[in-house]
Amino acid sequence: MTIDIQHLNRLREIVGPQGFLDQPGDLAPYVADHRNLYRGVTPLVLRPSSTEQVSRILALCNDVGVAVVPSGGNTGYCGGATPSADGSQIVVSLSRMNKIRSLDALNYTLNCEAGCVLAGIQTAAEAADRFFPLSLGSEGSCQIGGNLSTNAGGTSVVRYGMARSFVLGLEVVLPDGRVLDSLKALRKDNTGYDLRDLFIGAEGTLGIITAATFKLYPKPQTVVTALVALKSLEGAIELLAQLRTASGDAIVTYEVMPRIVIDFELKYLKGINDPFDRKHDWYVLVEVQSARRDPALSDAIQESLSAAIENELASDALVAQSEAQRAAFWSMRERIPEGERHAGASIKHDVSVSITDIPALVEEGSTAMLKLVPNGRVISFGHLGDGNLHFNLCQPEGMDRAKFEALTPQVNRAVHDIVAKYRGSIAAEHGIGRLKREELAHYKSAVEMDVMRAIKKALDPKGIMNPGKVI
Ligand SMILES: Cc1cc2nc3c(=O)[nH]c(=O)nc-3n(C[C@H](O)[C@H](O)[C@H](O)COP(=O)(O)OP(=O)(O)OC[C@H]3O[C@@H](n4cnc5c(N)ncnc54)[C@H](O)[C@@H]3O)c2cc1C
């Protein structure tokens, strides 16, 4: 299905000569997703430089029935920013809309355009002696518009919540081109339905986010980072509760790693050292922050960890004594996907349940996966403090990759059924995109799906926004 040449020309005119790409080499980065699961085709990538241009693009597309795929940093894990294979969709990249519009240090707020790279926003906040807490492994390339559209999580959710929780106001271009401007910097605003939250996590299916106003926080003055070795997940959960109390609820990061990921890193990657003098079943990366200089915080963590070791809750622990040691602990956590890739293909799940149900989920889920793929290697790691695990199955050594990958639907269903049993989520932080559309329809209730479809129909009656994604 091709798009009328006249429509393409009118779209080019809206953005001017600097604002579009239409040569195959230039289009390439926009037609495949980060994990290379999907490959699409598009005749045109538009790179608008203003909200007004986005508005004119959507008004025209809505008028003539051209489908639009919004694109941020293209680091998403579910194929949400990849166009379809039939060439019928244009891509709108926000990357030229990358200005921090204002920062109000006294109101602790920052207003910026959707194409700002996440790391740039963190830096801008820091320069004003403030803190922007959203932090992900992809922060050097993902864009804030993509973060909001996926309601990204990351490594500070325990303390600060997901992307949604920092947003005070949004500017969104609706599918018919109208601009919904709710760029307020208010903490309190009970004036009817919360429209802002509709677009956060909508993965570009309800409109294009062009700007947002965010809450900022005081810059942390004390950071304590520890790596703890444990015998069990149950122990890790008990320790979390103890550390929350001991630190005055100052835990920002609580990330779990099983031994197998350290083995993969030691085997396949350079620059990783075994942190303790013997192997342990589980490891937890803990980070605690305070907005004031607080030497007592480090003492409290050390004492709590010593007590946990004495009581045999933890097996061993290291508190980082330098920035280099802290970086080494973080590197172990952040390089897990790299090590996993070297070990072979993986069938991945991004699931959440109540923290107390995590051990049961891991036990039952591992049994179910291994029944389907004997000798598969279970890798469950990630955001334990949020009840969110990346619960993956790596292919058995020596098994044919294609044969293993062909088992994906059965393995997904087995894991997701257990997640559903615990009233958990099959998409804790990466979203739905194209990857989990069928799973979403299977697990959401009929009423939830009806309400979602009604919202989609009300805002995008012609279905031009990111068709084929989410619902
Ligand atoms: C190394 C690595 C680590 C990661 N760690 C995490 C993690 O800890 N937590 C986590 O949640 N995710 C993580 N991710 C996934 C990914 O980085 C996030 O989903 C991120 O929020 C996507 O942002 P993006 O700008 O790349 O969006 P894209 O991939 O470009 O787009 C994602 C979705 O949002 C839509 N979209 C993009 N911009 C807009 C806009 N302005 N308006 C409307 N719709 C839009 C797209 O159409 C698509 O549906 C990680 C990815 C990598 C590669």
Side-chain angles (χ1 to χ4, degrees):
M1 217 172 111
T2 53
I3 303 174
D4 190 316
I5 185 88
Q6 283 180 9
H7 302 333
L8 293 175
N9 284 338
R10 285 173 68 194
L11 288 166
R12 286 187 185 97
E13 273 165 29
I14 293 173
V15 290
Q18 307 302 318
F20 66 84
L21 305 168
D22 56 6
Q23 298 304 305
D26 297 333
L27 297 173
Y30 298 90
V31 296
D33 69 301
H34 182 83
R35 288 169 62 192
N36 259 316
L37 297 173
Y38 302 102
R39 190 157 284 276
V41 174
T42 187
L44 188 63
V45 173
L46 295 175
R47 300 172 67 237
S49 59
S50 66
T51 303
E52 194 238 331
Q53 287 186 0
V54 177
S55 158
R56 289 175 61 203
I57 291 167
L58 290 195
L60 175 58
C61 287
N62 196 49
D63 234 22
V64 300
V66 170
V68 176
V69 182
S71 173
N74 200 18
T75 66
Y77 278 150
C78 299
T82 310
S84 61
D86 64 2
S88 66
Q89 306 180 340
I90 62 152
V91 172
V92 174
S93 160
L94 278 294
S95 52
R96 285 211 301 160
M97 292 185 62
N98 59 2
K99 284 180 217 64
I100 307 256
R101 289 180 178 167
S102 62
L103 190 154
D104 182 343
L106 293 180
N107 197 36
Y108 280 76
T109 50
L110 176 148
N111 173 251
C112 69
E113 294 180 338
C116 286
V117 170
L118 173 56
I121 300 175
Q122 295 166 346
T123 308
E126 204 175 330
D129 202 30
R130 297 290 179 263
F131 181 58
F132 186 69
L134 186 63
S135 176
L136 330 175
S138 54
E139 63 199 21
S141 43
C142 61
Q143 296 174 9
I144 199 68
N147 300 145
L148 293 179
S149 300
T150 55
N151 188 27
T155 50
S156 58
V157 176
V158 183
R159 170 78 168 279
Y160 295 102
M162 297 186 63
R164 185 189 300 284
S165 36
F166 320 125
V167 181
L168 295 175
L170 273 193
E171 179 186 86
V172 183
V173 179
L174 299 178
D176 63 7
R178 284 178 301 161
V179 179
L180 182 95
D181 177 354
S182 69
L183 275 179
K184 296 171 181 162
L186 307 176
R187 263 98 181 160
K188 300 183 104 173
D189 178 21
N190 281 346
T191 48
Y193 302 147
D194 191 342
L195 301 178
R196 173 192 67 185
D197 267 343
L198 274 183
F199 299 94
I200 301 172
E203 300 181 57
T205 60
L206 298 179
I208 296 190
I209 297 174
T210 45
T213 303
F214 294 99
K215 282 185 225 170
L216 298 177
Y217 294 80
K219 196 158 111 184
Q221 303 296 326
T222 306
V223 177
V224 182
T225 310
L227 189 70
V228 187
L230 298 121
K231 287 193 200 80
S232 70
L233 270 174
E234 287 85 348
I237 291 163
E238 173 67 35
L239 181 67
L240 170 63
Q242 293 187 5
L243 289 174
R244 284 187 73 165
T245 306
S247 66
D249 216 5
I251 298 202
V252 174
T253 299
Y254 201 79
E255 299 283 311
V256 74
M257 300 173 268
R259 176 67 206 180
I260 189 169
V261 302
I262 314 285
D263 286 338
F264 283 171
E265 290 182 352
L266 291 169
K267 184 166 176 187
Y268 299 114
L269 311 181
K270 289 203 167 72
I272 301 282
N273 295 313
D274 213 340
F276 298 101
D277 50 16
R278 65 181 182 89
K279 294 183 180 189
H280 299 274
D281 290 340
W282 296 95
Y283 302 82
V284 170
L285 172 69
V286 190
E287 195 154 279
V288 176
Q289 285 178 3
S290 168
R292 59 192 168 104
R293 289 192 196 288
D294 186 2
L297 187 58
S298 181
D299 296 344
I301 295 298
Q302 304 249 22
E303 275 167 31
S304 193
L305 290 176
S306 301
I309 293 168
E310 235 165 72
N311 300 332
E312 296 185 6
L313 184 60
S315 310
D316 210 342
L318 290 165
V319 175
Q321 300 301 317
S322 63
E323 195 46 48
Q325 199 178 11
R326 174 177 180 249
F329 294 170
W330 271 98
S331 173
M332 270 177 57
R333 163 63 186 91
E334 286 187 332
R335 297 184 75 189
I336 292 173
E338 204 185 332
E340 189 181 351
R341 254 194 318 278
H342 281 279
S346 277
I347 299 173
K348 299 189 173 186
H349 309 97
D350 165 37
V351 297
S352 65
V353 292
S354 298
I355 295 182
T356 31
D357 290 330
I358 288 260
L361 169 72
V362 170
E363 197 184 321
E364 292 173 37
S366 303
T367 306
M369 289 198 283
L370 293 174
K371 203 168 151 196
L372 290 163
V373 188
N375 301 320
R377 291 166 290 174
V378 176
I379 299 176
S380 46
F381 71 94
H383 317 299
L384 180 65
D386 318 327
N388 171 201
L389 286 186
H390 301 313
F391 192 32
N392 303 342
L393 187 71
C394 185
Q395 71 182 91
E397 278 176 292
M399 183 172 181
D400 177 68
R401 189 181 181 109
K403 262 193 190 156
F404 170 73
E405 285 177 339
L407 293 165
T408 302
Q410 294 99 297
V411 175
N412 286 167
R413 191 45 61 84
V415 170
H416 291 160
D417 276 352
I418 296 165
V419 169
K421 186 178 103 181
Y422 288 102
R423 294 187 69 86
S425 170
I426 60 156
E429 63 169 9
H430 296 153
I432 300 297
R434 229 154 116 178
L435 185 68
K436 294 188 189 155
R437 215 167 72 116
E438 278 75 33
E439 291 295 271
L440 181 80
H442 183 81
Y443 289 102
K444 277 256 184 219
S445 70
V447 178
E448 286 171 309
M449 289 305 290
D450 272 357
V451 173
M452 281 174 57
R453 286 196 196 100
I455 292 168
K456 170 77 176 169
K457 208 164 163 206
L459 290 177
D460 184 20
K462 294 193 176 173
I464 64 155
M465 286 311 308
N466 218 357
K469 317 289 167 51
V470 187
I471 53 171

